[in-house]
Every structure is written in structure tokens, then in C-alpha cells.
Amino acid sequence: MARAVAGPEIERLVQLLARVPGLGPRSARRAALQLIKKREALMAPLAGAMEEVLAKIETCPVCGNLDVKSPCLICSDPTRDPTLIIVVADVSDLWALERSGAMNARYHVLGGTLSPLDGIGPDELNIAGLIGRVREGNGGAVGEVLLALPATVDGQTTAHYVTELLRETGVKVTRLAHGVPVGGELDYLDEGTLTAAIRARTAL
């Protein structure tokens, strides 16, 4: 059994860091050590920032994004295209799309995908909020709903379910293209990705 190399406070810091996605036990120890070594320049400001965010963070009542203001920065931005709503499963997906800078639209965060095996049904997701937004703005405001959901079985099930609910609103429903990524080599792609790319082929 491995012995503790530091006091319980430091060990607790390591254990908490190890819960962060992308950080295993070893990476957490390295991160903790860097924080401790640079406690004045790094740890103190980080602790202050985390305390401030913890006190101010809110879930946007409009789209489900996480921000320190309500409605969130995106929903409050008058330069955003009100005719397009991009539907994502999680806030991390929203942030990823924003980093691309490809769209200047509004978003709707479902809070996950349908997963009967995990007990996640429509009532556990923010689907009703999306339908309400489309109906309220369907007098001309919302013209398209882009489903940017994961290319998994649960993601596609969710996309199909949402599409059926939106059908009666008359809004245009689209989804992200699936297929060969930019810079991807065919030999390294799985069969599912190749099949999706072939089915979604376009004319030149």
C-alpha cells in the first residue's frame, strides 16, 4: 500500500484535482505540486477566481448556458442571429462551437441526451424549453434549429425525438454534417464515420 507523502490537506487537493476530466492521479499530483510551488502567483489567484465563480455562477433561464449573469452573455448579445438556434447536449459543446467562430447564433443546452438505460428521459432534459422558445419565436424570429448533438446512438435518438416534436412548429430543422474530418486520413477512420461520409457525399 502506497504511503502518503504529504499532509491530509494536500492529499485532499490531489484527490479533488484527480476528479477533473482529463486529470488522472499522476497528473493531479503534478498539478497540485505546481500549485503549491507557485502558491502566491498561481494558487492564491486561482482560489480567488474559483470562489468568485462559485458565488456568481448561474444557469441561464433562456438557453441553459452557465455564466455569471442572467440571461447569459450570449442570450444578451443583440448582434446574435435570432433566427437560428443551435441545440447542443452540454455546455462544453457550446463552448467548442464558440471557439470555432463559425456561427453567430443563439444556443439551447439540453443538459445531456436521451438514455433509457441511465434513466434519462425527456423530462430530465431541457427539451420543453426548446419547444417553447421555437413556438414563441416562430412568428418570424426562429427560422432554423440546428441540432449539434453527438454522433452516438443516444445523440441520434435525441435528435430524432426533438425533430419529431419540432415538426409541428414548421421550423426548419438541420443537423451537423457527419463524415471525414479536415486533415483526416481514410485509413484511420472507423467504419461508422466512413459510412456517414459516403451517405452525406456532395457534388463538386
Side-chain angles (χ1 to χ4, degrees):
M1 182 176 178
R3 296 181 180 178
V5 297
E9 296 84 0
I10 295 177
E11 287 297 326
R12 182 167 180 267
L13 173 63
V14 172
Q15 291 171 7
L16 290 172
L17 287 172
R19 296 182 187 178
V20 177
L23 286 182
R26 290 184 180 180
S27 298
R29 289 198 176 277
R30 286 195 293 269
L33 187 57
Q34 285 300 311
L35 288 170
I36 292 167
K37 284 181 176 180
K38 301 178 180 179
R39 50 190 174 276
E40 295 300 326
L42 187 57
M43 181 180 273
L46 177 61
M50 293 179 71
E51 185 175 357
E52 186 176 7
V53 168
L54 179 61
K56 295 182 177 181
I57 196 73
E58 294 186 55
T59 300
C60 178
V62 178
C63 73
N65 186 23
L66 295 175
D67 205 343
V68 294
K69 61 178 296 187
S70 179
C72 71
L73 192 65
I74 292 176
C75 288
S76 303
D77 186 353
T79 66
R80 294 272 172 173
D81 182 0
T83 67
L84 173 61
I85 295 179
I86 302 177
V87 179
V88 295
D90 194 74
V91 175
S92 61
D93 302 322
L94 185 159
W95 288 9
L97 289 170
E98 279 295 285
R99 284 198 305 272
S100 75
M103 307 291 285
N104 189 40
R106 300 187 185 277
Y107 292 89
H108 191 87
V109 182
L110 294 180
T113 54
L114 294 173
S115 181
L117 293 176
D118 297 320
I120 302 175
D123 293 339
E124 281 69 48
L125 301 179
N126 190 16
I127 295 176
L130 171 65
I131 305 303
R133 287 180 69 187
V134 172
R135 284 178 177 161
E136 289 171 10
N138 206 23
V142 180
E144 178 184 355
V145 174
L146 169 58
L147 301 178
L149 299 173
T152 60
V153 173
D154 289 344
Q156 295 310 298
T157 299
T158 306
H160 178 73
Y161 181 82
V162 172
T163 299
E164 288 301 310
L165 291 179
L166 289 172
R167 195 180 304 278
E168 64 182 66
T169 67
V171 72
K172 178 182 178 182
V173 181
T174 58
R175 71 172 188 176
L176 290 181
H178 298 155
V180 180
V182 175
E185 296 184 27
L186 298 185
D187 189 41
Y188 291 96
L189 300 178
D190 62 89
E191 289 79 3
T193 300
L194 285 171
T195 300
I198 292 170
R199 289 177 178 172
R201 63 190 183 277
T202 57
L204 298 176

